[in-house]
Amino acid sequence: GGFLAIVLMVTIMAIWQLRRRLSQQTEFKKADIYLNIFYWFSAAMIFLALLFSFSRSAWLGLAAGFLYLLIYAFLKKLKDLKITLVKLAVFFLLSLGFSLTAFPYQLFTARITAQGRLEQRSLIERQSAVADAKELVKNHLWHGVGLANYTKALQEKYRNYPGWAYQPVHNWFWLVAAELGLIGFLLAIVLLVFLAKRNFSSLGRLNSGWALVLPLLAISFFDHYFWTLFFGICFWWLAWVITLKTDNS
């Protein structure tokens, strides 16, 4: 779900950039028209896939990125971006309405309210995982348990757990703190703060690349794959690099 949220934000920005480029042209090429259709079709398919992934963290990530772009558009007075976002918002709402009509709405309310038996079990397991992470951080405060050694440390601490129970905590920050210790965690935070400062030092340096980073940060509070999976790690740092390379004009 998180990957879909990031890819959808990239698609939204591509639609905006194409609209801005076309608004500066007097003649439209067929290739541009086909590309525009492809972007919108892709946005529709990705949004529906994201919707039916039932990932609350991905939904939150998309909302964070979309809201940021909306604020960015008003602060920068970008008419093309405003129009693009309004059209996309209407499009997404219509898609959501169709989905709620065509499929049982309980599929979505169960995820939002988290009142079902399995939802409650999932929440309890995640709360327990965070408690385990806090305990590991406390016992290995300075040096941590070692990179990629989190599940091994759990196995040594709780030898009677079933095999499936040994999994990383679904929180990027607690996982980094447990594996790298306080020193490594602080270095990671300093690096993120440095990158953030490069982009938020003044309003004039605010850029659209943060529409990718904010979903990452939102999802990182509820999952671990930006630290544990190679593709997730590449996704994480690529988004941060884009914030430094995005054109601020």
Side-chain angles (χ1 to χ4, degrees), residues 7-8 12 19 21 24 42 44 47 67-68 76 85 94-95 103 111 115 145 156 162 190-191 197-198 221 227:
V7 172
L8 182 54
I12 291 173
R19 177 183 176 83
R21 179 165 63 84
Q24 299 172 352
S42 298
F47 178 76
L67 181 61
Y68 173 83
K76 289 285 190 175
L85 293 177
L94 290 175
S95 300
F103 301 94
R111 292 295 290 165
Q115 296 299 318
V145 299
E156 293 175 351
V190 166
L191 177 59
K197 187 177 180 180
R198 288 284 302 271
F221 281 100
W227 181 258

Side-chain angles (χ1 to χ4, degrees), residues 79-90:
K79 183 179 179 180
D80 290 335
L81 182 54
K82 292 178 186 177
I83 295 174
T84 300
L85 293 177
V86 169
K87 288 183 177 180
L88 284 166
V90 172

Side-chain angles (χ1 to χ4, degrees), residues 3-185:
F3 293 140
L4 290 173
I6 304 301
V7 172
L8 182 54
M9 289 308 307
V10 172
T11 305
I12 291 173
M13 295 173 69
I15 293 174
W16 163 44
Q17 292 295 331
L18 179 61
R19 177 183 176 83
R20 184 170 67 171
R21 179 165 63 84
L22 292 179
S23 65
Q24 299 172 352
Q25 297 178 356
T26 56
E27 297 182 359
F28 300 138
K29 300 179 181 178
K30 284 187 177 180
D32 292 329
I33 297 175
Y34 293 148
L35 185 60
N36 189 48
I37 295 174
F38 171 75
Y39 282 158
W40 278 91
F41 178 78
S42 298
M45 293 298 101
I46 296 170
F47 178 76
L48 289 175
L50 175 60
L51 192 63
F52 286 100
S53 72
F54 299 107
S55 172
R56 288 169 295 194
S57 62
W59 294 347
L60 178 63
L62 175 63
F66 197 90
L67 181 61
Y68 173 83
L69 270 186
L70 193 60
I71 296 174
Y72 173 80
F74 278 94
L75 291 179
K76 289 285 190 175
K77 299 179 181 180
L78 300 173
K79 183 179 179 180
D80 290 335
L81 182 54
K82 292 178 186 177
I83 295 174
T84 300
L85 293 177
V86 169
K87 288 183 177 180
L88 284 166
V90 172
F91 182 69
F92 291 158
L93 288 175
L94 290 175
S95 300
L96 177 60
F98 171 78
S99 300
L100 292 175
T101 303
F103 301 94
Y105 69 89
Q106 292 87 350
L107 292 172
F108 301 96
T109 57
R111 292 295 290 165
I112 295 173
T113 60
Q115 296 299 318
R117 180 182 63 86
L118 293 179
E119 297 295 333
Q120 288 296 313
R121 179 179 177 181
S122 176
L123 291 176
I124 292 173
E125 288 178 353
R126 294 204 175 199
Q127 291 171 357
S128 177
V130 171
D132 290 337
K134 291 180 179 179
E135 190 68 21
L136 289 177
V137 171
K138 181 180 178 181
N139 295 337
H140 306 273
L141 181 61
W142 296 106
H143 53 78
V145 299
L147 190 62
N149 282 336
Y150 184 87
T151 52
K152 183 176 184 296
L154 279 183
Q155 186 179 24
E156 293 175 351
K157 185 175 178 61
Y158 305 105
R159 296 186 179 276
N160 297 324
Y161 278 15
W164 57 265
Y166 301 116
Q167 55 181 301
V169 60
H170 285 64
N171 186 298
W172 186 92
F173 301 94
W174 278 114
L175 184 57
V176 172
E179 289 193 353
L180 301 185
L182 182 60
I183 296 177
F185 176 74

Side-chain angles (χ1 to χ4, degrees), residues 235-249:
F235 237 69
W236 172 271
W237 291 112
L238 177 62
W240 280 100
V241 170
I242 288 175
T243 66
L244 301 178
K245 293 296 184 180
T246 303
D247 182 12
N248 294 318
S249 60

